[in-house]
Amino acid sequence: MKALTVYQPWASLIMAGAKPYEFRRWDYASREPGLVGERIVIHAGARPMRLDEIEDLLDRIAEGESSLDSAIATPIVERCREALVVAGAAKKMRRRARPAGPALFDLPPEDQSPPPSGQILPLASGLGTAVLGRARKASVLFRGAIDSDRIDHAVWAWPLTDIRSFDHPVPARGAQGFWTWPEKLEAA
């Protein structure tokens, strides 16, 4: 089975049913013609989410400039933003904090743990599977729905249907483009 690595939060938005298309600058059928109608693994990349991307995504959803199902996507993306904001604030507090003396370093290890990173969605993991539909030019698919000046005419929309989530994220290294999901993980 083939797998496709997608950055977060977009991988989780696919699995939640909020993202019906994956957008790429190439038509996968030219490289992998046998994948039309086939089930693929949706893999969340290892790259952490970035606050500026999350905020931009929320702006595009609010302005109606997104193909996402806003009712499903907005609460997920807002939770991601909140976690990243809290983690960023905690990081700034750690940088500003100046030790008052060696007693601060005498704390037990459990009290020295760093605050959460803000990465509330799984990274570097297979999340589930989807059936890959025939790719179409995004400019044709969204004609009239989004201002054509804002559509990149070189982008392809890959429909993803029949989403099936794994019971638990399956840790795995990803790769660019399509890659083969390891058989030992397929059985899991």
Tab-separated table of all heavy atoms in Angstrom, residues 113-171:
chain	number	residue	atom	x	y	z
A	113	SER	N	10.198	19.478	34.332
A	113	SER	CA	9.775	19.149	32.973
A	113	SER	C	9.353	20.412	32.229
A	113	SER	O	8.719	21.288	32.800
A	113	SER	CB	8.634	18.138	32.992
A	113	SER	OG	7.535	18.668	33.668
A	114	PRO	N	9.705	20.473	30.936
A	114	PRO	CA	9.347	21.661	30.159
A	114	PRO	C	7.851	21.696	29.886
A	114	PRO	O	7.179	20.672	29.927
A	114	PRO	CB	10.137	21.475	28.859
A	114	PRO	CG	10.369	20.012	28.768
A	114	PRO	CD	10.434	19.503	30.170
A	115	PRO	N	7.319	22.864	29.613
A	115	PRO	CA	5.897	22.953	29.276
A	115	PRO	C	5.623	22.257	27.952
A	115	PRO	O	6.553	21.982	27.184
A	115	PRO	CB	5.651	24.459	29.180
A	115	PRO	CG	6.975	25.064	28.955
A	115	PRO	CD	7.983	24.140	29.563
A	116	PRO	N	4.382	21.954	27.642
A	116	PRO	CA	4.068	21.265	26.389
A	116	PRO	C	4.528	22.079	25.177
A	116	PRO	O	4.590	23.299	25.214
A	116	PRO	CB	2.545	21.126	26.413
A	116	PRO	CG	2.061	21.991	27.507
A	116	PRO	CD	3.210	22.280	28.419
A	117	SER	N	4.842	21.387	24.112
A	117	SER	CA	5.342	22.036	22.898
A	117	SER	C	4.236	22.695	22.096
A	117	SER	O	4.511	23.448	21.180
A	117	SER	CB	6.032	21.000	22.015
A	117	SER	OG	5.059	20.071	21.545
A	118	GLY	N	3.007	22.376	22.418
A	118	GLY	CA	1.901	22.903	21.636
A	118	GLY	C	1.506	21.981	20.493
A	118	GLY	O	0.551	22.238	19.777
A	119	GLN	N	2.243	20.902	20.321
A	119	GLN	CA	1.952	19.956	19.242
A	119	GLN	C	0.928	18.942	19.750
A	119	GLN	O	1.271	17.893	20.267
A	119	GLN	CB	3.239	19.259	18.783
A	119	GLN	CG	4.297	20.207	18.287
A	119	GLN	CD	3.853	21.080	17.129
A	119	GLN	OE1	3.228	20.613	16.200
A	119	GLN	NE2	4.175	22.348	17.192
A	120	ILE	N	-0.342	19.271	19.597
A	120	ILE	CA	-1.405	18.424	20.133
A	120	ILE	C	-1.857	17.354	19.142
A	120	ILE	O	-2.630	16.485	19.506
A	120	ILE	CB	-2.609	19.262	20.602
A	120	ILE	CG1	-3.225	20.033	19.437
A	120	ILE	CG2	-2.204	20.183	21.739
A	120	ILE	CD1	-4.527	20.730	19.781
A	121	LEU	N	-1.395	17.427	17.902
A	121	LEU	CA	-1.744	16.417	16.902
A	121	LEU	C	-0.551	15.503	16.690
A	121	LEU	O	0.594	15.931	16.812
A	121	LEU	CB	-2.140	17.099	15.583
A	121	LEU	CG	-3.337	18.047	15.662
A	121	LEU	CD1	-3.571	18.720	14.311
A	121	LEU	CD2	-4.586	17.310	16.117
A	122	PRO	N	-0.800	14.233	16.362
A	122	PRO	CA	0.316	13.302	16.190
A	122	PRO	C	1.228	13.705	15.035
A	122	PRO	O	0.769	14.183	13.999
A	122	PRO	CB	-0.363	11.961	15.906
A	122	PRO	CG	-1.782	12.257	15.620
A	122	PRO	CD	-2.097	13.614	16.120
A	123	LEU	N	2.514	13.509	15.239
A	123	LEU	CA	3.517	13.763	14.214
A	123	LEU	C	4.219	12.453	13.875
A	123	LEU	O	4.276	11.549	14.697
A	123	LEU	CB	4.540	14.792	14.707
A	123	LEU	CG	4.010	16.177	15.079
A	123	LEU	CD1	5.111	17.036	15.687
A	123	LEU	CD2	3.395	16.862	13.876
A	124	ALA	N	4.756	12.365	12.665
A	124	ALA	CA	5.510	11.195	12.202
A	124	ALA	C	4.742	9.903	12.454
A	124	ALA	O	5.264	8.948	13.002
A	124	ALA	CB	6.886	11.154	12.865
A	125	SER	N	3.479	9.890	12.021
A	125	SER	CA	2.619	8.733	12.260
A	125	SER	C	1.598	8.559	11.147
A	125	SER	O	1.079	9.545	10.616
A	125	SER	CB	1.845	8.896	13.572
A	125	SER	OG	2.707	8.995	14.663
A	126	GLY	N	1.282	7.298	10.842
A	126	GLY	CA	0.162	7.008	9.963
A	126	GLY	C	-1.120	7.227	10.752
A	126	GLY	O	-1.226	6.792	11.905
A	127	LEU	N	-2.076	7.920	10.148
A	127	LEU	CA	-3.313	8.239	10.859
A	127	LEU	C	-4.490	7.395	10.397
A	127	LEU	O	-5.460	7.222	11.137
A	127	LEU	CB	-3.662	9.714	10.666
A	127	LEU	CG	-2.606	10.717	11.107
A	127	LEU	CD1	-3.109	12.136	10.875
A	127	LEU	CD2	-2.217	10.498	12.554
A	128	GLY	N	-4.432	6.900	9.178
A	128	GLY	CA	-5.535	6.130	8.626
A	128	GLY	C	-5.382	6.033	7.121
A	128	GLY	O	-4.301	6.278	6.583
A	129	THR	N	-6.473	5.692	6.451
A	129	THR	CA	-6.415	5.522	5.003
A	129	THR	C	-7.530	6.313	4.326
A	129	THR	O	-8.514	6.700	4.957
A	129	THR	CB	-6.543	4.038	4.609
A	129	THR	OG1	-7.834	3.557	4.993
A	129	THR	CG2	-5.439	3.197	5.242
A	130	ALA	N	-7.358	6.510	3.026
A	130	ALA	CA	-8.357	7.192	2.199
A	130	ALA	C	-8.245	6.637	0.787
A	130	ALA	O	-7.197	6.130	0.386
A	130	ALA	CB	-8.113	8.692	2.187
A	131	VAL	N	-9.338	6.734	0.047
A	131	VAL	CA	-9.318	6.344	-1.363
A	131	VAL	C	-8.990	7.594	-2.167
A	131	VAL	O	-9.605	8.651	-1.988
A	131	VAL	CB	-10.661	5.727	-1.800
A	131	VAL	CG1	-10.689	5.491	-3.304
A	131	VAL	CG2	-10.908	4.427	-1.043
A	132	LEU	N	-8.017	7.458	-3.041
A	132	LEU	CA	-7.531	8.570	-3.851
A	132	LEU	C	-8.304	8.645	-5.159
A	132	LEU	O	-8.350	7.680	-5.916
A	132	LEU	CB	-6.041	8.343	-4.119
A	132	LEU	CG	-5.223	9.440	-4.746
A	132	LEU	CD1	-5.262	10.710	-3.904
A	132	LEU	CD2	-3.783	8.968	-4.885
A	133	GLY	N	-8.938	9.778	-5.405
A	133	GLY	CA	-9.698	9.976	-6.635
A	133	GLY	C	-8.837	10.584	-7.729
A	133	GLY	O	-7.667	10.898	-7.523
A	134	ARG	N	-9.424	10.761	-8.897
A	134	ARG	CA	-8.711	11.339	-10.036
A	134	ARG	C	-8.426	12.819	-9.776
A	134	ARG	O	-9.317	13.582	-9.438
A	134	ARG	CB	-9.537	11.188	-11.307
A	134	ARG	CG	-8.804	11.633	-12.564
A	134	ARG	CD	-9.491	11.203	-13.826
A	134	ARG	NE	-9.760	9.778	-13.913
A	134	ARG	CZ	-8.861	8.834	-14.232
A	134	ARG	NH1	-7.617	9.186	-14.474
A	134	ARG	NH2	-9.213	7.572	-14.309
A	135	ALA	N	-7.164	13.216	-9.951
A	135	ALA	CA	-6.751	14.602	-9.727
A	135	ALA	C	-7.364	15.522	-10.771
A	135	ALA	O	-7.547	15.139	-11.924
A	135	ALA	CB	-5.228	14.697	-9.775
A	136	ARG	N	-7.693	16.735	-10.305
A	136	ARG	CA	-8.231	17.762	-11.205
A	136	ARG	C	-7.519	19.069	-10.917
A	136	ARG	O	-7.072	19.308	-9.797
A	136	ARG	CB	-9.731	17.943	-10.959
A	136	ARG	CG	-10.527	16.690	-11.290
A	136	ARG	CD	-11.976	16.835	-10.967
A	136	ARG	NE	-12.574	17.961	-11.702
A	136	ARG	CZ	-13.766	18.447	-11.417
A	136	ARG	NH1	-14.479	17.928	-10.439
A	136	ARG	NH2	-14.263	19.452	-12.096
A	137	LYS	N	-7.445	19.927	-11.902
A	137	LYS	CA	-6.856	21.252	-11.689
A	137	LYS	C	-7.725	22.013	-10.687
A	137	LYS	O	-8.948	22.075	-10.828
A	137	LYS	CB	-6.800	22.048	-12.998
A	137	LYS	CG	-5.717	21.594	-13.934
A	137	LYS	CD	-4.392	22.060	-13.421
A	137	LYS	CE	-3.484	22.412	-14.577
A	137	LYS	NZ	-2.289	23.064	-14.117
A	138	ALA	N	-7.110	22.578	-9.668
A	138	ALA	CA	-7.850	23.333	-8.656
A	138	ALA	C	-8.564	24.527	-9.277
A	138	ALA	O	-9.675	24.870	-8.875
A	138	ALA	CB	-6.908	23.787	-7.548
A	139	SER	N	-7.956	25.135	-10.279
A	139	SER	CA	-8.574	26.307	-10.920
A	139	SER	C	-9.888	25.948	-11.603
A	139	SER	O	-10.805	26.759	-11.654
A	139	SER	CB	-7.612	26.936	-11.923
A	139	SER	OG	-7.230	25.993	-12.910
A	140	VAL	N	-10.008	24.731	-12.103
A	140	VAL	CA	-11.248	24.273	-12.732
A	140	VAL	C	-12.251	23.854	-11.657
A	140	VAL	O	-13.420	24.209	-11.711
A	140	VAL	CB	-10.964	23.103	-13.707
A	140	VAL	CG1	-12.253	22.497	-14.229
A	140	VAL	CG2	-10.068	23.566	-14.847
A	141	LEU	N	-11.768	23.120	-10.683
A	141	LEU	CA	-12.634	22.602	-9.624
A	141	LEU	C	-13.309	23.720	-8.831
A	141	LEU	O	-14.476	23.617	-8.477
A	141	LEU	CB	-11.809	21.717	-8.687
A	141	LEU	CG	-12.546	20.972	-7.605
A	141	LEU	CD1	-13.502	19.955	-8.206
A	141	LEU	CD2	-11.546	20.271	-6.697
A	142	PHE	N	-12.585	24.788	-8.564
A	142	PHE	CA	-13.111	25.860	-7.717
A	142	PHE	C	-13.501	27.107	-8.500
A	142	PHE	O	-13.681	28.167	-7.919
A	142	PHE	CB	-12.105	26.204	-6.617
A	142	PHE	CG	-11.902	25.076	-5.666
A	142	PHE	CD1	-10.759	24.304	-5.719
A	142	PHE	CD2	-12.871	24.756	-4.735
A	142	PHE	CE1	-10.568	23.240	-4.853
A	142	PHE	CE2	-12.695	23.704	-3.865
A	142	PHE	CZ	-11.545	22.935	-3.927
A	143	ARG	N	-13.630	26.995	-9.795
A	143	ARG	CA	-14.007	28.150	-10.623
A	143	ARG	C	-15.311	28.756	-10.102
A	143	ARG	O	-16.293	28.067	-9.906
A	143	ARG	CB	-14.192	27.713	-12.074
A	143	ARG	CG	-14.469	28.888	-13.000
A	143	ARG	CD	-14.510	28.468	-14.441
A	143	ARG	NE	-13.168	27.962	-14.778
A	143	ARG	CZ	-12.935	27.065	-15.721
A	143	ARG	NH1	-13.909	26.568	-16.427
A	143	ARG	NH2	-11.713	26.662	-15.959
A	144	GLY	N	-15.284	30.032	-9.834
A	144	GLY	CA	-16.482	30.733	-9.356
A	144	GLY	C	-16.651	30.677	-7.850
A	144	GLY	O	-17.284	31.538	-7.267
A	145	ALA	N	-16.084	29.681	-7.183
A	145	ALA	CA	-16.236	29.565	-5.734
A	145	ALA	C	-15.221	30.437	-5.002
A	145	ALA	O	-15.489	30.932	-3.918
A	145	ALA	CB	-16.071	28.111	-5.295
A	146	ILE	N	-14.067	30.610	-5.608
A	146	ILE	CA	-12.999	31.419	-5.017
A	146	ILE	C	-12.518	32.373	-6.101
A	146	ILE	O	-12.433	32.002	-7.271
A	146	ILE	CB	-11.833	30.524	-4.522
A	146	ILE	CG1	-12.311	29.591	-3.411
A	146	ILE	CG2	-10.660	31.361	-4.035
A	146	ILE	CD1	-11.279	28.600	-2.945
A	147	ASP	N	-12.183	33.582	-5.725
A	147	ASP	CA	-11.673	34.574	-6.665
A	147	ASP	C	-10.537	33.958	-7.478
A	147	ASP	O	-9.536	33.513	-6.920
A	147	ASP	CB	-11.188	35.798	-5.881
A	147	ASP	CG	-10.640	36.901	-6.767
A	147	ASP	OD1	-10.665	36.753	-8.002
A	147	ASP	OD2	-10.206	37.914	-6.204
A	148	SER	N	-10.693	33.919	-8.794
A	148	SER	CA	-9.722	33.232	-9.644
A	148	SER	C	-8.329	33.842	-9.561
A	148	SER	O	-7.340	33.169	-9.848
A	148	SER	CB	-10.193	33.201	-11.100
A	148	SER	OG	-10.277	34.510	-11.602
A	149	ASP	N	-8.209	35.101	-9.158
A	149	ASP	CA	-6.889	35.706	-8.996
A	149	ASP	C	-6.129	35.090	-7.833
A	149	ASP	O	-4.912	35.165	-7.770
A	149	ASP	CB	-7.009	37.221	-8.757
A	149	ASP	CG	-7.510	37.949	-9.994
A	149	ASP	OD1	-7.387	37.377	-11.103
A	149	ASP	OD2	-8.028	39.065	-9.848
A	150	ARG	N	-6.849	34.482	-6.902
A	150	ARG	CA	-6.213	33.913	-5.720
A	150	ARG	C	-5.901	32.438	-5.882
A	150	ARG	O	-5.322	31.830	-5.004
A	150	ARG	CB	-7.109	34.120	-4.495
A	150	ARG	CG	-7.369	35.599	-4.270
A	150	ARG	CD	-8.054	35.825	-2.973
A	150	ARG	NE	-7.206	36.781	-2.293
A	150	ARG	CZ	-6.990	36.801	-1.004
A	150	ARG	NH1	-7.556	35.945	-0.239
A	150	ARG	NH2	-6.213	37.703	-0.481
A	151	ILE	N	-6.307	31.834	-6.993
A	151	ILE	CA	-6.053	30.411	-7.222
A	151	ILE	C	-4.759	30.256	-8.000
A	151	ILE	O	-4.550	30.902	-9.016
A	151	ILE	CB	-7.209	29.751	-8.004
A	151	ILE	CG1	-8.488	29.787	-7.185
A	151	ILE	CG2	-6.857	28.318	-8.367
A	151	ILE	CD1	-9.691	29.247	-7.930
A	152	ASP	N	-3.895	29.397	-7.515
A	152	ASP	CA	-2.667	29.063	-8.234
A	152	ASP	C	-3.045	28.064	-9.317
A	152	ASP	O	-3.457	26.941	-9.039
A	152	ASP	CB	-1.647	28.468	-7.264
A	152	ASP	CG	-0.310	28.204	-7.914
A	152	ASP	OD1	-0.245	28.082	-9.154
A	152	ASP	OD2	0.685	28.112	-7.176
A	153	HIS	N	-2.921	28.454	-10.560
A	153	HIS	CA	-3.377	27.623	-11.673
A	153	HIS	C	-2.479	26.417	-11.931
A	153	HIS	O	-2.790	25.586	-12.777
A	153	HIS	CB	-3.542	28.487	-12.929
A	153	HIS	CG	-4.647	29.484	-12.768
A	153	HIS	ND1	-5.963	29.164	-12.994
A	153	HIS	CD2	-4.636	30.776	-12.357
A	153	HIS	CE1	-6.723	30.221	-12.746
A	153	HIS	NE2	-5.943	31.207	-12.351
A	154	ALA	N	-1.389	26.301	-11.197
A	154	ALA	CA	-0.506	25.151	-11.353
A	154	ALA	C	-0.808	24.052	-10.331
A	154	ALA	O	-0.127	23.043	-10.284
A	154	ALA	CB	0.945	25.590	-11.229
A	155	VAL	N	-1.819	24.249	-9.497
A	155	VAL	CA	-2.105	23.321	-8.404
A	155	VAL	C	-3.156	22.289	-8.820
A	155	VAL	O	-4.154	22.619	-9.452
A	155	VAL	CB	-2.563	24.103	-7.148
A	155	VAL	CG1	-3.061	23.172	-6.060
A	155	VAL	CG2	-1.432	24.970	-6.635
A	156	TRP	N	-2.912	21.061	-8.397
A	156	TRP	CA	-3.837	19.952	-8.631
A	156	TRP	C	-4.551	19.613	-7.330
A	156	TRP	O	-3.953	19.630	-6.255
A	156	TRP	CB	-3.075	18.722	-9.112
A	156	TRP	CG	-2.523	18.889	-10.490
A	156	TRP	CD1	-1.330	19.473	-10.836
A	156	TRP	CD2	-3.145	18.489	-11.703
A	156	TRP	NE1	-1.176	19.452	-12.195
A	156	TRP	CE2	-2.269	18.850	-12.762
A	156	TRP	CE3	-4.344	17.854	-12.011
A	156	TRP	CZ2	-2.582	18.591	-14.090
A	156	TRP	CZ3	-4.633	17.600	-13.340
A	156	TRP	CH2	-3.768	17.971	-14.365
A	157	ALA	N	-5.822	19.284	-7.421
A	157	ALA	CA	-6.632	18.861	-6.267
A	157	ALA	C	-6.824	17.355	-6.366
A	157	ALA	O	-7.320	16.854	-7.376
A	157	ALA	CB	-7.981	19.573	-6.290
A	158	TRP	N	-6.408	16.645	-5.341
A	158	TRP	CA	-6.541	15.190	-5.293
A	158	TRP	C	-7.691	14.848	-4.352
A	158	TRP	O	-7.568	15.019	-3.139
A	158	TRP	CB	-5.279	14.539	-4.767
A	158	TRP	CG	-4.014	14.829	-5.514
A	158	TRP	CD1	-3.849	15.561	-6.658
A	158	TRP	CD2	-2.720	14.393	-5.136
A	158	TRP	NE1	-2.537	15.589	-7.018
A	158	TRP	CE2	-1.811	14.877	-6.104
A	158	TRP	CE3	-2.230	13.634	-4.088
A	158	TRP	CZ2	-0.451	14.630	-6.039
A	158	TRP	CZ3	-0.873	13.381	-4.030
A	158	TRP	CH2	0.002	13.864	-4.992
A	159	PRO	N	-8.816	14.355	-4.850
A	159	PRO	CA	-9.930	14.001	-3.968
A	159	PRO	C	-9.560	12.830	-3.054
A	159	PRO	O	-8.918	11.870	-3.483
A	159	PRO	CB	-11.043	13.595	-4.927
A	159	PRO	CG	-10.619	14.054	-6.272
A	159	PRO	CD	-9.135	14.141	-6.253
A	160	LEU	N	-9.979	12.924	-1.809
A	160	LEU	CA	-9.769	11.862	-0.822
A	160	LEU	C	-11.126	11.485	-0.247
A	160	LEU	O	-11.814	12.333	0.323
A	160	LEU	CB	-8.828	12.343	0.283
A	160	LEU	CG	-7.428	12.736	-0.188
A	160	LEU	CD1	-6.696	13.505	0.895
A	160	LEU	CD2	-6.646	11.505	-0.604
A	161	THR	N	-11.515	10.230	-0.418
A	161	THR	CA	-12.829	9.775	0.045
A	161	THR	C	-12.678	8.507	0.872
A	161	THR	O	-11.589	7.948	0.981
A	161	THR	CB	-13.760	9.497	-1.155
A	161	THR	OG1	-13.164	8.483	-1.972
A	161	THR	CG2	-14.006	10.754	-1.979
A	162	ASP	N	-13.797	8.052	1.412
A	162	ASP	CA	-13.846	6.820	2.209
A	162	ASP	C	-12.732	6.792	3.250
A	162	ASP	O	-11.919	5.880	3.302
A	162	ASP	CB	-13.792	5.590	1.300
A	162	ASP	CG	-14.199	4.320	2.041
A	162	ASP	OD1	-14.843	4.415	3.103
A	162	ASP	OD2	-13.852	3.216	1.560
A	163	ILE	N	-12.722	7.812	4.078
A	163	ILE	CA	-11.694	7.982	5.114
A	163	ILE	C	-11.902	6.940	6.216
A	163	ILE	O	-13.014	6.786	6.728
A	163	ILE	CB	-11.769	9.397	5.724
A	163	ILE	CG1	-11.725	10.483	4.653
A	163	ILE	CG2	-10.712	9.592	6.792
A	163	ILE	CD1	-10.506	10.524	3.808
A	164	ARG	N	-10.831	6.272	6.576
A	164	ARG	CA	-10.863	5.293	7.674
A	164	ARG	C	-9.687	5.555	8.604
A	164	ARG	O	-8.538	5.364	8.221
A	164	ARG	CB	-10.788	3.868	7.133
A	164	ARG	CG	-11.967	3.497	6.275
A	164	ARG	CD	-11.871	2.065	5.816
A	164	ARG	NE	-12.901	1.797	4.821
A	164	ARG	CZ	-12.937	0.709	4.072
A	164	ARG	NH1	-12.001	-0.210	4.201
A	164	ARG	NH2	-13.902	0.545	3.201
A	165	SER	N	-9.987	5.976	9.810
A	165	SER	CA	-8.936	6.269	10.789
A	165	SER	C	-8.431	4.984	11.427
A	165	SER	O	-9.202	4.061	11.671
A	165	SER	CB	-9.473	7.182	11.892
A	165	SER	OG	-9.826	8.428	11.363
A	166	PHE	N	-7.137	4.956	11.712
A	166	PHE	CA	-6.579	3.874	12.513
A	166	PHE	C	-7.071	4.056	13.947
A	166	PHE	O	-7.395	5.170	14.366
A	166	PHE	CB	-5.049	3.899	12.506
A	166	PHE	CG	-4.413	3.617	11.165
A	166	PHE	CD1	-3.168	4.134	10.866
A	166	PHE	CD2	-5.033	2.824	10.209
A	166	PHE	CE1	-2.546	3.874	9.661
A	166	PHE	CE2	-4.435	2.556	8.989
A	166	PHE	CZ	-3.184	3.090	8.712
A	167	ASP	N	-7.109	2.972	14.719
A	167	ASP	CA	-7.507	3.088	16.123
A	167	ASP	C	-6.563	4.008	16.893
A	167	ASP	O	-6.986	4.738	17.788
A	167	ASP	CB	-7.539	1.706	16.784
A	167	ASP	CG	-8.676	0.839	16.267
A	167	ASP	OD1	-9.673	1.397	15.764
A	167	ASP	OD2	-8.566	-0.399	16.359
A	168	HIS	N	-5.275	3.950	16.545
A	168	HIS	CA	-4.249	4.772	17.177
A	168	HIS	C	-3.258	5.193	16.097
A	168	HIS	O	-3.037	4.435	15.153
A	168	HIS	CB	-3.495	4.008	18.270
A	168	HIS	CG	-4.387	3.428	19.312
A	168	HIS	ND1	-4.920	4.187	20.320
A	168	HIS	CD2	-4.862	2.173	19.493
A	168	HIS	CE1	-5.689	3.414	21.076
A	168	HIS	NE2	-5.680	2.191	20.600
A	169	PRO	N	-2.633	6.362	16.227
A	169	PRO	CA	-1.588	6.729	15.271
A	169	PRO	C	-0.485	5.670	15.279
A	169	PRO	O	-0.131	5.130	16.327
A	169	PRO	CB	-1.062	8.064	15.797
A	169	PRO	CG	-2.173	8.612	16.631
A	169	PRO	CD	-2.863	7.414	17.225
A	170	VAL	N	0.043	5.361	14.097
A	170	VAL	CA	1.091	4.353	13.960
A	170	VAL	C	2.401	5.072	13.631
A	170	VAL	O	2.555	5.596	12.522
A	170	VAL	CB	0.741	3.335	12.846
A	170	VAL	CG1	1.857	2.314	12.693
A	170	VAL	CG2	-0.589	2.659	13.137
A	171	PRO	N	3.328	5.135	14.584
A	171	PRO	CA	4.587	5.838	14.326
A	171	PRO	C	5.313	5.257	13.112
A	171	PRO	O	5.434	4.041	12.963
A	171	PRO	CB	5.399	5.597	15.604
A	171	PRO	CG	4.377	5.317	16.660
A	171	PRO	CD	3.270	4.587	15.941
